Amino acid sequence: MNIAFIPVRGGSKSIPLKNIKEICGRPLVYWTVKAASSCRYIDKVYVATDSIVIKETVEAFSREENIFRKVEVVGRSEESASDTASTESAMLEFASKYDFDNIVLVQATSPLLTGGDLDRGFSVFEKPDVDSVLSVVRQKRFHWDEDENGLAHPTNYDVFNRPRRQEFKGYYVENGAFYITSKAQLLKSKNRVSGNIRLVEMAEESFFEIDEPSDWVIIESLMKKRNGILPFIDVKKIKLFLTDCDGCLTDGGMYYSEKGDELKKFNTRDGVAFRLLKDRGVITGIVTGEDVALNRRRVDKLKIDYYAPGCGDKLGYVMELCKKLNVSLDEVAYVGDDLIDIPLLKKVGFSCCPSDASPKVKEFVTYISPVKGGYGVIRDVVDMLIAGDAQNEKDI
């Protein structure tokens, strides 16, 4: 039996109750519990805490989704949750009370961990002659140290033969995300890893752990940018849904017939998305820098409420529209894909872009759709909003 062990205590000094402080709209511990729950090798996920508040929080979100059916919250002693206690003390305390074959220690301060990372970890752990596995990231930094005379010396490269980054193998650093070992090895060594140890490399961005408030800002930003991790939003607030045209409703390509007529390819699924929005009373609009008849025909067919062709100042237009409709920018969702969209994307309540949007645009949006422009990206965004709306109704 493989189990995940996630120790979370209530006495954090740097960030009070940080394990349940919201990051991307969910408690910090939610993300690692979700990763462990989605790992196909893990049979049971134990969250060990000394805090009744943390216990209630984990149990509350565990009731929301079927994926958390493996989760159980258990207690830990005051001694194992003290400022000076080691993580091993909590693991050993747990091991003395529960039956299992193998254990993966998962750190709640590593919300960039995924179920796929843990799957790879267990895949390595199952190989012959492997006693323990730990997660690492590869770093390509040049290290220096000082000798007893205060003189500096490089420790991992030759200053007269400085390698180029692409040729530099670098070195591995623990990222603290997870450690796998057997119960037998844990009890024998009294350590999270021992015996023959192998490494599992994770994405470079997973180097960051949340220990200080500054770490929080960095990791939340990384989570927002990572495709597939969506910050929770109150979708009931969205009253106005707007999108650019070329690169969002279309693939951005310019097609011409033999007669020289300009053609564009729109996606039927996006048409359905606008109907779904209108059925829910959401006002719709297209704001585009182009002014061509093809776009107008699409607007008329879809019965779009507002159309702004040839718009050079999208933010200015939307601000005026919001004033007219008595809607705040926080109640606006906008899908854009290029540099002209950035000022508006930075101001609306929910900003989105297609997967093939300009890299610069991706720095400023809440949600990066896995779908390309012209291939149903609007439907993807709307389906996500509707799913969130349904979840809110279920919670109520």
Side-chain angles (χ1 to χ4, degrees):
M1 179 181 180
N2 297 327
I3 65 101
F5 178 71
I6 308 178
V8 285
R9 64 191 190 96
S12 173
K13 294 291 188 289
S14 58
I15 306 174
L17 283 174
K18 72 176 178 182
N19 290 305
I20 56 171
K21 177 179 167 64
E22 287 197 352
I23 183 166
C24 286
R26 293 291 191 181
L28 173 61
V29 68
Y30 168 91
W31 301 104
T32 45
V33 171
K34 185 175 183 179
S37 298
S38 63
C39 174
R40 60 191 177 91
Y41 290 88
I42 293 175
D43 302 300
K44 189 82 173 177
V45 178
Y46 290 97
V47 178
T49 184
D50 61 322
S51 166
I52 186 64
V53 178
I54 293 177
K55 178 180 186 293
E56 291 173 348
T57 300
V58 174
E59 289 177 341
F61 70 66
S62 294
R63 289 191 293 267
E64 294 178 6
E65 302 174 45
N66 190 48
I67 191 176
F68 295 123
R69 65 189 182 280
K70 302 177 183 178
V71 178
E72 181 179 341
V73 183
V74 298
R76 58 189 289 193
S77 68
E78 185 177 333
E79 292 76 21
S80 72
S82 69
D83 291 340
T84 57
S86 66
T87 300
E88 275 77 4
S89 68
M91 295 176 71
L92 291 166
E93 179 182 74
F94 174 82
S96 69
K97 299 176 181 178
Y98 293 87
D99 291 325
F100 58 89
D101 298 306
N102 304 305
I103 182 172
V104 53
L105 167 66
V106 175
Q107 307 269 47
T109 50
S110 300
L112 292 168
L113 175 70
T114 69
D117 294 323
L118 292 167
D119 281 340
R120 291 189 296 112
F122 273 100
S123 179
V124 172
F125 181 68
E126 288 187 341
K127 291 181 179 180
D129 301 323
V130 177
D131 297 310
S132 301
V133 171
L134 70 137
S135 60
V136 296
V137 293
R138 189 188 297 272
Q139 293 283 291
K140 294 189 176 184
R141 306 284 182 179
F142 297 130
H143 279 193
W144 288 73
D145 200 0
E146 290 183 335
D147 62 21
E148 62 277 8
N149 298 316
L151 297 177
H153 302 277
T155 60
N156 66 341
Y157 82 109
D158 179 359
V159 292
F160 297 104
N161 188 26
R162 180 185 292 265
R164 293 188 304 164
R165 181 177 174 81
Q166 58 267 39
E167 297 169 344
F168 185 38
K169 184 179 179 182
Y171 53 92
Y172 291 116
V173 179
E174 285 187 41
N175 64 354
F178 71 86
Y179 304 82
I180 306 174
T181 194
S182 66
K183 181 176 183 178
Q185 283 291 139
L186 172 64
L187 295 176
K188 177 182 177 182
S189 69
K190 301 191 183 328
N191 200 58
R192 67 188 72 181
V193 289
S194 60
N196 296 326
I197 303 170
R198 286 191 178 270
L199 308 177
V200 170
E201 187 174 352
M202 287 178 55
E204 187 176 3
E205 65 188 33
S206 68
F207 172 79
F208 296 99
E209 291 183 272
I210 294 181
D211 292 315
E212 302 297 334
S214 58
D215 301 327
W216 202 279
V217 176
I218 294 170
I219 290 181
E220 186 163 37
S221 177
L222 289 168
M223 291 176 72
K224 286 181 178 180
K225 291 178 185 177
R226 176 186 278 189
N227 190 22
I229 297 182
L230 175 65
F232 180 79
I233 61 163
D234 183 359
V235 295
K236 285 188 176 295
K237 286 179 59 178
I238 302 302
K239 297 179 179 178
L240 176 60
F241 185 97
L242 304 171
T243 180
D244 183 25
C245 186
D246 287 325
C248 294
L249 286 170
T250 77
D251 61 5
M254 302 186 70
Y255 305 92
Y256 295 92
S257 69
E258 289 185 357
K259 295 181 179 180
D261 298 322
E262 184 177 342
L263 307 172
K264 290 189 179 184
K265 180 175 73 68
F266 293 91
N267 194 290
T268 302
R269 291 194 295 273
D270 288 339
V272 174
F274 281 107
R275 191 188 73 229
L276 292 171
L277 288 168
K278 293 179 76 69
D279 288 346
R280 283 162 174 74
V282 178
I283 303 167
T284 59
I286 294 176
V287 185
T288 174
E290 263 202 330
D291 186 1
V292 295
L294 277 173
N295 292 347
R296 168 63 72 177
R297 288 202 290 273
R298 187 62 174 164
V299 167
D300 292 342
K301 182 171 183 178
L302 297 180
K303 296 182 172 58
I304 302 295
D305 297 307
Y306 289 92
Y307 176 50
C311 186
D313 179 11
K314 296 188 177 186
L315 176 59
Y317 168 79
V318 173
M319 289 177 68
E320 288 299 315
L321 181 60
C322 286
K323 196 177 299 182
K324 175 182 176 179
L325 298 172
N326 194 29
V327 169
S328 72
L329 283 170
D330 285 341
E331 298 170 316
V332 177
Y334 180 65
V335 185
D337 73 303
D338 216 336
L339 302 181
I340 191 174
D341 299 305
I342 290 177
L344 179 54
L345 289 167
K346 291 168 68 174
K347 294 293 184 179
V348 297
F350 188 54
S351 54
C352 322
C353 73
S355 64
D356 57 346
S358 163
K360 195 68 177 175
V361 168
K362 293 179 180 179
E363 296 180 16
F364 299 101
V365 298
T366 311
Y367 176 58
I368 302 172
S369 171
V371 182
K372 292 182 179 180
Y375 287 84
V377 63
I378 307 302
R379 180 63 182 274
D380 173 66
V381 173
V382 171
D383 281 350
M384 180 272 303
L385 288 171
I386 291 172
D389 200 14
Q391 181 63 52
N392 282 353
E393 291 177 0
K394 179 181 176 182
D395 292 343
I396 291 170

